[in-house]
Amino acid sequence: MISLDDLRFVAALSRTGSLSAAARALDVTPPALSMRLKRLEASLEANLVVRNSRGLRFTPEGEQLVEEARSILSRVEGLADSLRGGAFAGSLRVVAPFGFGRVHVAPVMAAFARDYPQVRATLDLAEAPWNGSVEADVVVHIGAIRDSSWIAHLLARNARWVCASPAYLKRCGTPMHPRDLQQHACLSVRENEEDVTLWRYKDRNASSRRWEPLRISPTLTSNNGEVVRAWAAAGLGIALRSEWDVAPSVKRGELRRLFPSHEFEGADILALVPARRGVSARVSHFVECLKARFQPKTPWRIA
């Protein structure tokens, strides 16, 4: 017989990656969890984890149990929400990109926590929040996703703009066509395993409306978008950045948007929830709170 405590243990072990970290999360001792693991494996007659010098990994049987544990625990917490008549309680873990999460997701979580103090909310910020296997109730992701194990909720359309500082343009000249960028200093962001030196654009007025590839040779690259925006504002080169990130700088005159007659490949902002896990009422409501921040008008839209 597998108990709810066993399921909570397996979920915590998957989330933390080690017995010692899971013990801290569950407020028990590591030896007690080690004994629980041995008893669970004995009762199931299956090895759930394999230990090595780098920690532990789940066996196929262990991974199956983790998926079932997450689903069952989510449904149990959702049932509790329902029986409380809509009074949310339980845990909520949200993962989001560093810059976007700090500016736009953190305020939503703060308001959610004030409205529902019984929810134990956690916001984790990461350079690449979605990797296909992250354990979270909601993942805020910027860009395309092709994974049927996650359900995507559109939060906001997000174009990408090519920008440079007035000082750079005065010193180096203003490129008139995207192809001219090959003669300029370009700045790139390394994120989401994208090919950061390949920019795609199309002419808004052309009949073909076909995406054209443009290979740039960046003079500076970083895995942090805020750093690249700061480099562009300091006059170090031309950057391709999300509209949400550079629109305030354009409005203040720190950056100028180039090629308004051309469209560069965008990166929509999504809220992802696991498809294989039952979605609790509090998760659904939090996603709606996120949508309310960006719809019908996004907070960075200039006009």
Side-chain angles (χ1 to χ4, degrees):
M1 176 69 74
I2 300 177
S3 68
L4 282 177
D5 285 341
D6 289 331
L7 298 181
R8 292 188 182 99
F9 158 58
V10 170
L13 189 58
S14 171
R15 183 173 63 253
T16 59
S18 72
L19 281 169
S20 58
R24 288 193 297 272
L26 298 173
D27 197 22
V28 297
T29 65
L33 280 197
S34 182
M35 288 300 299
R36 177 182 285 276
L37 177 60
K38 291 179 181 178
R39 288 197 300 268
L40 185 58
E41 289 180 325
S43 68
L44 296 175
E45 298 182 352
N47 292 326
L48 301 178
V49 300
V50 175
R51 295 181 178 87
N52 54 40
S53 59
R54 292 179 294 181
L56 58 82
R57 63 175 177 83
F58 282 90
T59 64
E61 294 80 6
E63 291 176 351
Q64 181 181 355
L65 181 59
V66 168
E67 287 298 318
E68 294 297 334
R70 292 172 178 169
S71 178
I72 292 171
L73 291 172
S74 179
R75 291 200 299 271
V76 168
E77 291 186 344
L79 175 61
D81 288 345
S82 176
L83 294 175
R84 291 186 189 99
F88 301 135
S91 61
L92 174 70
R93 182 177 181 231
V94 180
V95 182
F98 271 117
F100 188 86
R102 178 178 56 80
V103 175
H104 293 292
V105 180
V108 177
M109 286 204 70
F112 192 86
R114 285 193 297 268
D115 291 341
Y116 307 104
Q118 290 179 299
V119 175
R120 301 183 305 278
T122 301
L123 174 61
D124 290 333
L125 302 180
E127 291 294 349
W130 177 78
N131 58 20
S133 61
V134 63
E135 183 183 347
D137 297 299
V138 181
V139 176
V140 177
H141 174 72
I142 301 176
I145 176 173
R146 298 174 183 86
D147 189 333
S148 60
S149 63
W150 293 83
I151 299 172
H153 299 266
L154 177 66
L155 298 181
R157 297 293 182 189
N158 176 48
R160 281 183 171 135
W161 291 356
V162 177
C163 297
S165 71
Y168 175 87
L169 298 175
K170 182 178 180 180
R171 185 176 73 251
C172 301
T174 300
M176 304 307 295
H177 190 276
R179 288 191 297 269
D180 297 340
L181 291 172
Q182 294 174 322
Q183 281 73 53
H184 282 264
C186 291
L187 314 172
S188 67
V189 182
R190 187 175 63 253
E191 58 187 356
N192 297 333
E193 299 183 357
E194 294 179 357
D195 185 349
V196 299
T197 65
L198 183 63
W199 296 358
R200 301 180 191 276
Y201 70 92
K202 58 186 176 183
D203 189 334
R204 297 180 189 274
N205 302 314
S207 57
S208 66
R209 299 285 289 161
R210 182 180 61 194
W211 290 107
E212 300 288 346
L214 174 69
R215 182 68 67 178
I216 56 109
S217 298
T219 57
L220 285 169
T221 301
S222 174
N223 66 337
N224 186 283
E226 293 184 11
V227 168
V228 171
R229 172 168 44 79
W231 284 342
L236 298 180
I238 300 174
L240 175 67
R241 289 298 299 138
S242 286
E243 178 187 358
W244 79 263
D245 184 38
V246 295
S249 297
V250 171
K251 186 175 182 180
R252 292 191 297 265
E254 298 166 354
L255 292 172
R256 277 182 51 195
R257 182 187 177 190
L258 305 177
F259 318 124
S261 63
H262 289 79
E263 177 183 353
F264 284 74
E265 205 167 34
D268 290 340
I269 300 166
L270 309 171
L272 308 177
V273 296
R276 294 186 60 186
R277 189 188 309 178
V279 179
S280 66
R282 68 181 170 282
V283 171
S284 297
H285 187 64
F286 180 74
V287 171
E288 292 304 313
C289 291
L290 283 173
K291 290 180 179 179
R293 179 174 178 85
F294 307 110
Q295 301 171 10
K297 183 179 180 180
T298 53
W300 55 82
R301 194 58 41 84
I302 292 177

